[in-house]
Amino acid sequence: MSETMRAIDIKNGTGPATALFINGQTPKPVPTASQALVRVKAFGLNRMDLLQREGKYPVPPQAPKTLGVEFSGVIEALGSTSEASFKVGDAVFGLAYGGAYAEYIAVSTHMLVHKPDELSWEQCAGIPETWITALQAMYLVGGFAPGASILWHAGASSVSIAGIQLSRADGAAGVYATARQDDKVRWIEDTLGADAAFNSTTSDWVQGVKDATNGKGVDVIVDFVGADFFQPNLDAAARDGHIVNLGFLGGTKLDGKGVDIAAFIGKRLRYEGSSLRSRDEAYQGKLRDRLVEVALPRFISGEFKIYVEKVFSFDQVVEAHQLMESNKTKGKLIVTIP
């Protein structure tokens, strides 16, 4: 058996999308006792991949240098202490600390899920990172409960697409979203079924949220923007609201932004940042179990949809990254490996 494989590498270690290339001499991973070696069929792109490619993402120490955290494929080997429910030849999908942009990945069996026959390789490769992140933000950090209202920023992003579906299925009093393009706003309302979506660049979305909630504001806000939305989030939140920050698309510095933090006391707000990739395996494993319990049956029944914007071949990974950088997508970008 060959000790090397094909994997996506980066010329000079970091760089633009055009620095990506297929390295046919990448060492093939060797699974540890609790891991499986999976032959990758497809992997999903995430915005963290762009940041990591540019050298701007803090990669966990246990992660390989190869990009990619979600994938689908077939188990080719198992370690001695892997979960008993998995065997060689099983079709699976899962979450990893890194290494998914490759023909093979070694990953803990605690982060694998059996692939249902009803879903394609491409669909399954787009589930783990986005849906687990949405579950974590909504429930573990945001404290969502049925009857609460919720606002998802970047509403056409994969995490928010998952979150909007989860919110509607679990009895949210109101589901709201923002996006930066009118066609995305319409799509969020018409296709995903949000109660209202707002163009955050051309409208007063804070006032729109207040009008939609009869002045109350929203109970949970999931934000990927950061500094630019810090004050608006405080204004849009309801009393005892929770604001969950997952990203900094709008920067990290509040200098000169006229921030008034009175709402933290006046509304008793909680603002909390979170991440998934830096969490330990036990934490991620619990979220894997929740995904299987809460979402997997609804994927199989068709109630939950995995929206795949476009599928690329392995040698089109540069084009895939460039499309993600354009911010014009609605849903997942997937790469398949023949």
Side-chain angles (χ1 to χ4, degrees):
M1 184 179 292
S2 174
E3 295 182 354
T4 60
M5 64 175 181
R6 294 181 301 156
I8 301 300
D9 207 339
I10 309 168
K11 297 172 187 175
N12 300 317
T14 61
T18 51
L20 298 172
F21 72 101
I22 297 176
N23 184 347
Q25 297 301 312
T26 304
K28 187 176 178 180
V30 177
T32 63
S34 63
Q35 291 182 326
L37 180 68
V38 178
R39 171 70 166 87
V40 178
K41 292 281 192 178
F43 59 84
L45 271 64
N46 292 281
R47 192 157 293 274
M48 75 175 80
D49 302 345
L50 309 185
L51 296 173
Q52 183 178 338
R53 189 200 70 219
E54 296 171 349
K56 300 176 181 178
Y57 189 93
V59 180
Q62 67 270 49
K65 71 171 186 175
T66 302
L67 301 171
V69 298
E70 59 181 354
F71 62 91
S72 60
V74 178
I75 294 176
E76 291 214 347
L78 287 166
S80 58
T81 61
S82 57
E83 285 191 6
S85 61
F86 295 100
K87 63 182 185 299
V88 172
D90 281 352
V92 295
F93 62 96
L95 184 69
Y97 288 107
Y101 284 32
E103 287 185 297
Y104 293 91
I105 185 170
V107 61
S108 169
T109 52
H110 301 314
M111 292 311 300
L112 292 178
V113 178
H114 288 284
K115 173 187 171 296
D117 293 336
E118 293 85 353
L119 301 179
S120 68
W121 296 111
E122 292 83 0
Q123 288 174 311
C124 286
I127 292 174
E129 170 66 20
T130 50
W131 284 81
I132 288 177
T133 297
L135 283 165
Q136 177 198 28
M138 184 173 162
Y139 293 104
L140 272 66
V141 184
F144 176 86
S149 59
I150 189 166
L151 168 66
W152 294 87
H153 288 306
S157 68
S158 295
V159 173
S160 290
I161 289 170
I164 290 167
Q165 294 182 75
L166 286 164
S167 304
R168 293 184 65 232
D170 203 13
V175 182
Y176 308 102
T178 66
R180 292 186 289 179
Q181 298 166 24
D182 286 338
D183 68 317
K184 289 184 177 182
V185 168
R186 290 190 295 269
W187 185 79
I188 291 165
E189 292 180 341
D190 297 343
T191 302
L192 298 182
D195 292 290
F198 311 95
N199 188 321
S200 59
T201 62
T202 62
S203 68
D204 183 349
W205 63 265
V206 174
Q207 189 59 49
V209 166
K210 289 181 177 179
D211 291 343
T213 57
N214 296 318
K216 177 188 174 186
V218 285
D219 299 308
V220 180
I221 297 175
V222 183
D223 174 47
F224 306 87
V225 180
D228 285 351
F229 278 11
F230 186 84
Q231 183 66 55
N233 282 335
L234 299 184
D235 297 339
R239 179 166 290 182
D240 294 315
H242 295 172
I243 302 167
V244 183
N245 178 247
L246 301 180
F248 304 115
L249 295 174
T252 61
K253 303 293 186 181
L254 294 173
D255 299 343
K257 294 187 182 293
V259 173
D260 181 353
I261 64 172
F264 278 109
I265 295 176
K267 293 184 181 180
R268 301 190 296 263
L269 298 184
R270 186 181 85 189
Y271 186 104
E272 185 171 351
S274 188
S275 65
L276 177 61
R277 196 174 182 184
S278 61
R279 303 285 189 172
D280 62 35
E281 187 178 299
Y283 181 96
Q284 293 191 4
K286 291 178 182 178
L287 284 168
R288 186 275 313 254
D289 294 342
R290 188 153 194 173
L291 174 73
V292 171
E293 177 186 353
V294 172
L296 192 60
R298 287 167 164 157
F299 291 134
I300 294 171
S301 71
E303 180 183 352
F304 284 169
K305 307 291 186 185
I306 304 108
Y307 291 93
V308 176
E309 172 88 3
K310 190 170 182 179
V311 177
F312 295 85
S313 61
F314 200 37
D315 58 0
Q316 294 177 314
V317 70
V318 170
E319 293 91 328
H321 270 234
Q322 289 172 333
L323 179 56
M324 177 165 275
E325 287 175 329
S326 75
N327 294 319
K328 294 179 180 178
T329 58
K330 297 186 288 290
K332 292 297 297 186
L333 299 180
I334 304 296
V335 174
T336 59
I337 305 178

